[in-house]
């Protein structure tokens, strides 16, 4: 028998969440963001459920090839554009759309021999200070692109740094509207947090870019959870108990003896560790379900195992089902965001870190 850990990708939930994005921005076209191997879900596993999108957005050229290999003939946008001049050959061959965020990328386009003009998304740095032209250089970049025979349609985009929180997007939206004023072309501004929290046409623009919401994690957790946004978990990580230990007061658990029993208790040992992608720095008490019953982890997470408190589940024993996140038995559920919070991180990081050694399959 293989080690009992496995991950499930819930196709119906992916399609459901995509529909939520569509409903929140009904007048925009919708990129499903599938970078990082569809946020750890697997592009091939997620594809069928997401092909209701109008386009796919990602940043790895090999991933763009995989999307085309699945038969997708619609838009595919490279969110960071090309990384070197010869990438433009692949862009031409696969008919990709690409972001242009710096002068060098325009130089490469100007030197590129292509028969068919390419569609580009000119990116404004509206305040995040990651990629994009500063406002003062934006119009000149647009004029240069517009004059190139290698370039067809020029669209305009920016990315928000605080769509999920209190600072909000007003200052970046104003910077974008100012820089883009009177320029023709389609607009793309909104990520998941902006799609859900800032529902006005100026923010939705012509194309929204839905990432994390599609994968059943709330972009603004803990202010709101997936229930609030009507989203469903798309990834379940589950395993089983492979051992049980009775503890006496003073007994310790795991490496570093970081947990000491203060009373008699039973713990279960789960076939899941940090080599599976479960975060090592989760403290004791990180939420977990055993046979669908909520309990917490105990002691340090090791490479292949972690321990859980069986106090709330006295009937549990070897073979009992353990839900690390996602859908549990009998309709129970543990949001990935709850586990991420305990680990001091966000749902994005946990799903992207699912290890290749975990057998993964999609289910309806
Ligand atoms: C990753 C990414 C997105 C999607 O962000 P989510 O928060 O996952 O919705 C949108 N736009 C760009 C440029 C990105 O890199």
């Amino acid at each position: 028998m293989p080690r009992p850990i496995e991950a499930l990708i819930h196709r119906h939930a992916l399609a459901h969440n995509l529909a939520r994005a569509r409903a929140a921005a009904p007048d925009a076209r919708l990129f499903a963001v599938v970078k990082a191997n569809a946020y750890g879900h697997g592009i091939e596993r997620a594809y069928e459920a997401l092909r209701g999108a109008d386009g796919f957005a990602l940043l790895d050229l090999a991933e763009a090839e995989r999307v085309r290999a699945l038969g997708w003939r619609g838009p595919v946008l490279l969110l960071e554009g090309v990384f070197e001049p010869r990438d433009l050959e692949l862009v031409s061959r696969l008919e990709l759309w690409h972001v242009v965020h710096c002068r060098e990328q325009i130089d490469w386009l100007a030197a590129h021999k292509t028969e068919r003009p390419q569609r580009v998304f000119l990116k404004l740095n509206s305040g995040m200070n990651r990629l994009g032209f500063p406002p003062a250089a934006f119009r000149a970049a647009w004029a240069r692109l517009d004059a190139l025979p290698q370039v067809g349609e020029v669209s305009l985009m920016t990315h928000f740094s605080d769509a999920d929180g209190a600072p909000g997007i007003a200052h970046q939206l104003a910077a974008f509207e100012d820089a883009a004023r009177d320029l023709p072309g389609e607009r793309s501004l909104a990520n998941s947090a902006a799609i859900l929290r800032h529902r006005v046409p100026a923010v939705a623009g012509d194309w929204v870019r839905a990432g994390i919401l599609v994968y059943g994690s709330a972009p603004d957790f803990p202010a709101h959870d997936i229930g609030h946004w009507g989203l469903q978990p798309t990834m379940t990580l589950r395993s089983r108990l492979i051992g049980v230990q009775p503890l006496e007061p003073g007994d310790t658990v795991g490496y570093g003896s970081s947990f000491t029993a203060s009373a008699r208790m039973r713990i279960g040992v789960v076939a899941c560790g940090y080599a599976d992608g479960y975060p090592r720095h989760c403290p004791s008490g990180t939420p977990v379900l055993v046979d669908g019953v909520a309990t917490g982890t105990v002691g340090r997470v090791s490479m292949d195992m972690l321990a859980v408190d069986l106090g709330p589940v006295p009937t549990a024993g070897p073979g009992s089902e353990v839900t690390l996140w996602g859908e549990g038995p009998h309709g129970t559920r543990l949001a990935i965001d709850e586990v991420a919070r305990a680990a001091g991180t966000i749902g994005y990081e946990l799903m992207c870190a699912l290890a290749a050694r975990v057998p993964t399959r999609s289910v309806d």
Side-chain angles (χ1 to χ4, degrees):
M1 184 181 154
R3 195 165 162 260
I5 192 167
E6 66 173 348
L8 305 178
I9 304 304
H10 303 288
R11 280 191 287 241
H12 66 274
L14 286 164
H16 168 91
N17 296 342
L18 192 77
R20 297 295 301 167
R22 178 85 69 204
D27 299 323
R29 272 159 293 156
L30 176 61
F31 283 118
V33 181
V34 294
K35 63 189 180 189
N37 200 21
Y39 291 49
H41 290 61
I43 287 175
E44 288 75 12
R45 277 188 290 268
Y47 175 69
E48 278 304 318
L50 299 183
R51 47 182 308 179
D54 300 300
F56 289 97
L58 42 70
L59 41 83
D60 186 297
L61 280 90
E63 289 186 341
E65 283 190 290
R66 284 162 58 192
V67 170
R68 285 287 184 241
L70 286 163
W72 178 256
R73 303 175 68 94
V76 176
L77 174 64
L78 296 176
L79 288 166
E80 295 181 350
V82 294
F83 301 100
E84 55 175 334
R86 65 177 186 162
D87 291 346
L88 291 168
E89 306 291 339
L90 194 74
V91 162
S92 285
R93 185 153 55 76
L94 298 179
E95 295 188 50
L96 308 179
W97 298 356
H98 55 114
V99 167
V100 170
H101 62 75
C102 65
R103 210 187 49 214
E104 290 73 12
Q105 289 174 324
I106 305 183
D107 297 339
W108 301 339
L109 266 168
H112 180 59
K113 292 184 188 23
T114 180
E115 277 135 48
R116 229 171 314 171
Q118 299 183 352
R119 173 151 179 187
V120 298
F121 279 63
L122 177 63
K123 184 164 189 176
L124 174 75
N125 171 14
S126 56
M128 188 171 190
N129 289 311
R130 220 169 48 171
L131 298 181
F133 289 88
F138 193 66
R139 300 180 86 83
W142 182 87
R144 242 192 110 192
L145 284 173
D146 186 53
L148 288 181
Q150 291 89 346
V151 173
E153 206 171 327
V154 182
S155 303
L156 311 176
M157 75 177 275
T158 195
H159 191 55
F160 297 126
S161 54
D162 292 282
D164 57 328
I169 61 169
H171 58 299
Q172 285 188 267
L173 185 60
F176 181 79
E177 289 185 336
D178 190 45
R181 193 182 315 281
D182 306 328
L183 292 182
E186 295 190 333
R187 269 79 169 146
S188 178
L189 298 84
N191 59 355
S192 295
I195 292 168
L196 294 173
R197 290 170 59 99
H198 303 282
R199 299 187 188 197
V200 293
V203 174
D206 299 294
W207 287 89
V208 295
R209 309 187 298 270
I212 195 69
L213 83 82
V214 171
Y215 303 101
S217 165
D220 57 352
F221 187 84
H224 297 111
D225 61 15
I226 56 170
H228 174 86
W229 294 121
L231 304 173
Q232 297 175 0
T234 59
M235 179 191 285
T236 291
L237 179 62
R238 69 183 187 187
S239 187
R240 294 190 182 277
L241 295 185
I242 55 172
V244 171
Q245 300 291 347
L247 301 185
E248 297 294 327
D251 285 349
T252 64
V253 178
Y255 287 117
S257 303
S258 71
F259 178 87
T260 305
S262 54
R264 295 186 72 176
M265 65 185 291
R266 274 173 88 234
I267 61 163
V269 177
V270 186
C272 176
Y274 62 78
D276 299 301
Y278 193 89
R280 180 180 171 277
H281 42 278
C282 277
S284 290
T286 297
V288 57
L289 308 181
V290 177
D291 285 335
V293 177
T295 181
T297 63
V298 169
R300 230 178 246 174
V301 174
S302 30
M303 182 184 284
D304 311 302
M305 285 176 270
L306 58 83
V308 295
D309 179 5
L310 296 183
V313 239
T315 54
S320 289
E321 182 171 335
V322 178
T323 309
L324 288 316
W325 58 71
E327 302 280 4
H330 327 299
T332 55
R333 190 175 266 191
L334 174 58
I336 196 169
D337 294 330
E338 300 276 359
V339 183
R341 174 166 57 171
T345 183
I346 51 178
Y348 296 73
E349 188 179 5
L350 298 196
M351 52 181 80
C352 290
L354 181 72
R357 82 171 186 181
V358 177
T360 304
R361 60 195 169 92
S362 36
V363 293
D364 283 319

